[in-house]
Amino acid sequence: MTIFYEFDGKIYANITNKCPCNCRFCIRKNSDSVGDNDSLWLEHEPTFEEITAAFDAFPKDNMEWLVFCGYGEPMMRAELLLEVARYVKATSSLKIRVNTNGLVSLINPQFDLYSMRGVIDSVSISLNASNPDKYNDITKPKFGLPSYNSMLNFATIAQSIIPQVAFTIVDDGLPADEIEACRNRAEAMEIPLRIRHYVTDNKNYQ
């Protein structure tokens, strides 16, 4: 099974297929992989030993970043993610980014967000919408309406402990006024916003 894969000049870590959301634009609905990689559907949740062994064997020449982002929400396994991140830091010069929906405090209320300090270099958070109702419609989180504010709270804390924090939205036909509202939300929090363009061809997913 594919635990690590290369995409866009970065190493990606695929450590779970579980996710509490069912986003309408999710790339998993289009195919089994991203780019030219093999299937990203895992046979089972890989252990720390399986992940680190796969990392040791993966070619890392000329790579600068490791990104926790696969066919699930990486913070579903937040404690393991940090354990792996510490191993990566100890055995390589790679910087570490986490692509997340920002719902870890609902997924695992016992997780200490501040434990990411000094381990994670960058976090990309799926803002997805400008308010809770639109977020629910687009993202369909199993936690319901509290999800949006929990995500914003995660972003606020992340901003205080992680060097690089950014929001993303996926433009899958979003109205111009909604994109502007998302931009205003991000600017009010002083967090950069990246607009990703939806495509159905995962080989060129942006």
Side-chain angles (χ1 to χ4, degrees), residues 73-79 81-82 86 98 100-123 125 147 149-163 165:
E73 165 52 48
M75 295 299 280
M76 291 289 295
R77 307 185 75 189
E79 300 286 0
L81 184 154
L82 284 186
R86 292 186 185 102
V98 178
T100 179
N101 57 30
L103 301 182
V104 65
S105 293
L106 295 175
I107 295 168
N108 181 2
Q110 284 73 46
F111 179 69
D112 178 10
L113 297 179
Y114 292 91
S115 63
M116 298 185 295
R117 191 199 307 265
V119 183
I120 306 303
D121 300 292
S122 175
V123 64
I125 305 166
S147 300
N149 285 336
S150 182
M151 176 269 296
L152 294 181
N153 182 64
F154 172 83
T156 298
I157 294 175
Q159 193 178 25
S160 72
I161 60 174
I162 294 174
V165 178

Side-chain angles (χ1 to χ4, degrees), residues 31-47:
S31 74
D32 293 337
S33 65
V34 174
D36 297 319
N37 299 287
D38 294 332
S39 175
L40 296 181
W41 294 111
L42 296 165
E43 298 167 7
H44 60 266
E45 299 274 275
T47 64

Side-chain angles (χ1 to χ4, degrees), residues 48-65:
F48 173 78
E49 291 74 20
E50 287 176 309
I51 295 169
T52 53
F55 175 75
D56 289 343
F58 196 89
K60 294 176 275 292
D61 291 346
N62 302 316
M63 295 291 184
E64 184 180 359
W65 284 92

